Amino acid sequence: MPALRKVSLLVVHGDGRRIARVALPRWLILVVLGLSLAVPASVAVIYTDYLQLRSQRASLNDLTARVAEQQGWIDAAQSKMRQIRAEIDGWRELRAKIWEPFGPEDGVARRAPGIGGGTGPLRPADTSDRAAIGDELDRLTDIVKEEGDNLRSLERFLGRATRVLAALPSRWPVRGQVNSSYGSRVSPWSAKAEFHSGLDIGAPVGTPVKAPAPGTVVFAGVHAEYGQTLIVDHGNETKSLYGHLSRISVVVNQKIERGDVIAQTGNTGRSSGPHLHYEIQVKGQPVNPTGYLWE
């Protein structure tokens, strides 16, 4: 019996009357049936993929936000390290300026390589970024330790230097007009040139003379030229001399401090009027006192 090539479709009214009869090819019926099964399945697959894509998109947005946050942290860390590095460079420059008056520094530490740098566009912060920051932090820690050691060495040096400076006669023993400076001058006695070994500071008789620095009294008595005279040893081969005094308030071997009243001005010895002859001696030789007067 031959296979059916067509399928008849009979349309019947509700009361049983036939309305129409349609003959459809068999292949068309099969196609319609196939589509009726395939379309729902395809829609279900597509919808499932859509749900997965939407979930992945949400995860991607979350990941992007986390990457941006981590990149911001990396940028902030690098910026902070650059600031710290600049501050350390400032320490080095300051230390060099402090050392400069004392001559070349022994064993100057080698300058460490720079750290930090600009950052590129937004990218995932992988382990290499974190490793790089870790390396920079290690180098920065080494530099800070090195500079700390250098600054502590400088502190010890300045401690010793400060003690020496504190012992220098840096204050005026009396305040007044300088009638005669250190160096060559015309002698008030013979009108000839002579060398003046100190400062003649005008002051009324009885003006208190204050110690310009701590020291020990090594002479308190009468000098042929300076009359009543006082000499104080400040250590480091530095001494101060006070001449033409009316009164001496300390004795030999007495320890004195900066600001102590040690004598009173006068007009004794070879003097043309009330004043104080103030002299500084280094290794037994007079030097210009103005080089020591800071205050």
Side-chain angles (χ1 to χ4, degrees), residues 165-187:
L165 293 175
L168 294 178
S170 59
R171 288 184 178 177
W172 289 83
V174 295
R175 292 290 182 176
Q177 180 179 348
V178 177
N179 298 327
S180 183
S181 300
Y182 172 88
S184 180
R185 72 174 184 179
V186 176
S187 172

Side-chain angles (χ1 to χ4, degrees), residues 167-171 212-213 234 238-240 258 278 280 289 292-293:
L168 294 178
S170 59
R171 288 184 178 177
H234 302 286
T238 302
K239 297 177 182 178
S240 58
R258 186 192 305 269
Y278 178 53
I280 294 179
Y292 288 79
L293 296 174

Side-chain angles (χ1 to χ4, degrees), residues 80-250:
K80 195 66 175 179
M81 285 187 288
R82 285 194 294 270
Q83 293 176 10
I84 295 174
R85 186 66 170 80
E87 182 67 21
I88 294 174
D89 287 342
W91 298 352
R92 285 176 167 161
E93 292 174 3
L94 179 60
R95 178 166 54 85
K97 289 180 181 179
I98 295 174
W99 271 115
E100 186 176 4
F102 304 101
E105 180 184 356
D106 293 335
V108 177
R110 177 178 60 85
R111 189 181 182 88
I115 62 174
T119 58
L122 183 66
R123 66 189 189 283
D126 56 21
T127 55
S128 62
D129 292 316
R130 291 190 289 271
I133 292 177
D135 292 342
E136 290 181 353
L137 286 174
D138 289 341
R139 289 196 296 270
L140 187 58
T141 300
D142 292 340
I143 293 173
V144 170
K145 183 180 182 302
E146 174 187 324
E147 287 306 306
D149 292 340
N150 291 334
L151 289 175
R152 282 186 286 274
S153 175
L154 179 59
E155 179 187 25
R156 290 191 293 271
F157 172 79
L158 290 179
R160 295 191 298 270
T162 299
R163 288 191 291 272
V164 173
L165 293 175
L168 294 178
S170 59
R171 288 184 178 177
W172 289 83
V174 295
R175 292 290 182 176
Q177 180 179 348
V178 177
N179 298 327
S180 183
S181 300
Y182 172 88
S184 180
R185 72 174 184 179
V186 176
S187 172
W189 315 109
S190 64
K192 295 182 180 180
E194 67 176 9
F195 178 76
H196 187 228
S197 59
L199 300 177
D200 286 344
I201 306 172
V205 174
T207 301
V209 177
K210 297 183 179 180
T216 304
V217 178
V218 293
F219 180 82
V222 178
H223 186 279
E225 182 174 355
Y226 299 129
Q228 291 200 59
T229 303
L230 178 67
I231 300 177
V232 177
D233 187 346
H234 302 286
N236 299 298
E237 300 184 280
T238 302
K239 297 177 182 178
S240 58
L241 181 150
Y242 312 82
H244 309 302
L245 303 171
S246 62
R247 180 182 177 185
I248 298 175
S249 305
V250 293

